[in-house]
Amino acid sequence: MSFIRKPDIRYKGQRTNALGLTLRDYEGGMSTLCAGCGHDSITSALVQAFFELDIEPYRVAKLSGIGCSSKTPAYFLSQAHGINAVHGRMPAVATGANAAARDLYYIGVSGDGDSLSIGLGQFAHAMRRNLHMLYLIENNGVYGLTKGQFSASADIGSKAKKGEINEQRPIDPVKTALAMGGTFVARGFSGDKDQLLPMLKAGLKHDGFAMIDVLSPCVTFNDHEDSTKSYAHTRQFYHPAVHADFIPPAEPIRAGYDEGEAVPVQLHDGSQVLLRKVAPDYDPHDRAAAMSYLERHEQAGEIVTGLLYIEEHRPTMHAINQTAATALRDLDYSVLNPGAAALAELQKRFR
């Protein structure tokens, strides 16, 4: 109901963060998605993540492409910067914006169609450059806006609402990210906020490209008994491999786990991700082992979730290209435009 304005209700004793802001300050407009859509649960987790990280909304840039998922940036952080890009071209816009203003938090919200079909090349190159951003794929295995065709992430044997059976192999965004050299690769489920929330926080603080594939059932076109992207199927075959706790740098670190049960990973700003192993043989620092682990559980029909791989020290796009530390908008014009003499000197190199 897009014509209904979300009421702004303030009451005494309302919880505030270190900036004095409430959860309401991190919300956006009223959702127009179907009631029960998994995307709205992800939006709720994002609102809580930004609130608990004490991030000013104006320091966030939201980007998306086309699709149900790409509508969701309108539903959180209404005071943030934002752009709805061309279908599948969001990573290129994010790259340009990031190059010009590196002091913002970048979050791209995409879908399985936007990222794995028309935008697959852009998705891959953003990872290759290790662009500093959190990239969410709200994955429901179906094209909801065009009434329920299979998307590139639909599993073999999955049946559409009208009875058609998918026979094409799916593209798994997690395995794709591992193969492309992604430095932060995770999978969550919109129905498990406890697991998703710390992963979102860690992804926002990761110095590089953080990709989280979030299984997010489409309640209108892909939530029936023969779907492998339904709430019932995901809950039945849900296999959490690694649980992540996020610890901000300003708080003392307390870990109540026994030796060998938790792996702390320090992020660039001093915060930590504490990886609590559910599977004793899982090593989230070993890319090849992560791929093998995924393959084994896929053959068993299980959906592996959690922070599956992290690499802390890979240079980002800015480090590789030695870009200016200052946002371009804050540089003096004489720096941005060194003049005709400098241009002529540069052109000598190409003659």
Side-chain angles (χ1 to χ4, degrees), residues 174-320:
V174 168
K175 289 196 287 188
T176 302
L178 286 171
M180 291 298 302
T183 55
F184 183 108
V185 183
R187 174 179 283 137
F189 171 41
S190 63
D192 186 353
K193 191 175 181 180
D194 288 343
Q195 184 194 50
L196 182 59
L197 180 59
M199 287 198 298
L200 292 175
K201 291 180 179 177
L204 285 166
K205 291 293 184 180
H206 177 64
D207 191 20
F209 191 85
M211 195 289 294
I212 306 180
D213 173 41
V214 188
L215 299 177
S216 177
C218 172
V219 292
T220 301
F221 294 107
N222 208 15
D223 194 34
H224 49 88
E225 62 180 7
D226 295 315
S227 167
T228 58
K229 294 284 192 296
S230 65
Y231 279 112
H233 183 93
T234 305
R235 288 195 176 107
Q236 182 178 355
F237 295 98
Y238 191 54
H239 181 86
V242 178
H243 180 81
D245 292 324
F246 180 79
I247 303 172
E251 296 181 3
I253 298 172
R254 300 186 182 90
Y257 311 114
D258 294 331
E259 184 71 20
E261 288 188 343
V263 179
V265 177
Q266 186 154 344
L267 302 180
H268 69 286
D269 65 348
S271 58
Q272 286 197 3
V273 181
L274 197 63
L275 303 176
R276 181 151 46 91
K277 294 185 179 181
V278 175
D281 60 337
Y282 193 80
D283 181 3
H285 295 93
D286 188 331
R287 189 185 298 273
M291 185 70 87
S292 174
Y293 187 87
L294 286 168
E295 292 280 358
R296 284 203 313 274
H297 286 274
E298 182 180 297
Q299 290 172 9
E302 295 176 342
I303 303 167
V304 177
T305 62
L307 178 51
L308 300 165
Y309 178 76
I310 185 166
E311 181 179 347
E312 306 97 287
H313 306 301
R314 172 87 65 82
T316 66
M317 179 188 75
H318 290 288
I320 293 169

Side-chain angles (χ1 to χ4, degrees), residues 3-336:
F3 57 89
I4 298 178
R5 185 179 178 84
K6 185 180 286 189
D8 185 7
I9 301 173
R10 310 277 170 166
Y11 56 89
K12 188 176 181 180
Q14 197 168 12
R15 183 186 172 198
T16 58
N17 63 10
L19 302 172
L21 301 176
T22 68
L23 273 173
R24 182 68 183 89
D25 295 312
Y26 290 82
E27 294 179 352
M30 186 76 78
S31 173
T32 58
L33 299 172
C34 305
C37 178
H39 298 359
D40 284 334
S41 299
I42 300 169
T43 297
S44 173
L46 282 168
V47 167
Q48 188 169 343
F50 281 106
F51 170 79
E52 293 184 357
L53 287 173
D54 303 320
I55 294 174
E56 299 96 332
Y58 70 87
R59 293 186 60 211
V60 179
K62 308 176 293 182
L63 303 105
S64 61
I66 300 296
C68 291
S69 59
S70 295
K71 297 170 67 178
T72 60
Y75 311 142
F76 63 92
L77 271 68
S78 58
Q79 302 301 313
H81 309 276
I83 184 169
N84 197 204
V86 178
H87 199 4
R89 271 57 179 174
M90 176 268 284
V93 178
T95 303
N98 203 312
R102 61 189 295 182
D103 56 340
L104 300 177
Y105 287 89
Y106 287 90
I107 175 169
V109 184
S110 185
D112 36 310
D114 195 56
S115 286
L116 306 180
S117 290
I118 192 170
L120 185 59
Q122 297 247 333
F123 173 55
H125 283 283
M127 264 186 297
R128 183 174 68 89
R129 298 187 184 104
N130 201 20
L131 187 64
H132 187 184
M133 70 179 299
L134 171 60
Y135 191 104
L136 295 181
I137 298 180
E138 298 185 337
N139 188 351
N140 55 23
V142 73
Y143 295 128
L145 280 187
T146 50
K147 311 302 182 187
Q149 300 89 349
F150 292 121
S151 79
S153 70
D155 298 304
I156 293 178
S158 182
K159 187 181 286 186
K161 190 175 182 181
K162 294 184 178 179
E164 182 186 357
I165 296 176
N166 178 50
E167 297 179 353
Q168 301 282 346
R169 286 190 60 81
I171 296 175
D172 184 335
V174 168
K175 289 196 287 188
T176 302
L178 286 171
M180 291 298 302
T183 55
F184 183 108
V185 183
R187 174 179 283 137
F189 171 41
S190 63
D192 186 353
K193 191 175 181 180
D194 288 343
Q195 184 194 50
L196 182 59
L197 180 59
M199 287 198 298
L200 292 175
K201 291 180 179 177
L204 285 166
K205 291 293 184 180
H206 177 64
D207 191 20
F209 191 85
M211 195 289 294
I212 306 180
D213 173 41
V214 188
L215 299 177
S216 177
C218 172
V219 292
T220 301
F221 294 107
N222 208 15
D223 194 34
H224 49 88
E225 62 180 7
D226 295 315
S227 167
T228 58
K229 294 284 192 296
S230 65
Y231 279 112
H233 183 93
T234 305
R235 288 195 176 107
Q236 182 178 355
F237 295 98
Y238 191 54
H239 181 86
V242 178
H243 180 81
D245 292 324
F246 180 79
I247 303 172
E251 296 181 3
I253 298 172
R254 300 186 182 90
Y257 311 114
D258 294 331
E259 184 71 20
E261 288 188 343
V263 179
V265 177
Q266 186 154 344
L267 302 180
H268 69 286
D269 65 348
S271 58
Q272 286 197 3
V273 181
L274 197 63
L275 303 176
R276 181 151 46 91
K277 294 185 179 181
V278 175
D281 60 337
Y282 193 80
D283 181 3
H285 295 93
D286 188 331
R287 189 185 298 273
M291 185 70 87
S292 174
Y293 187 87
L294 286 168
E295 292 280 358
R296 284 203 313 274
H297 286 274
E298 182 180 297
Q299 290 172 9
E302 295 176 342
I303 303 167
V304 177
T305 62
L307 178 51
L308 300 165
Y309 178 76
I310 185 166
E311 181 179 347
E312 306 97 287
H313 306 301
R314 172 87 65 82
T316 66
M317 179 188 75
H318 290 288
I320 293 169
N321 295 309
Q322 301 180 19
T323 60
T326 306
L328 299 189
R329 66 174 184 275
D330 297 327
L331 289 177
D332 188 82
Y333 183 73
S334 62
V335 177
L336 292 172

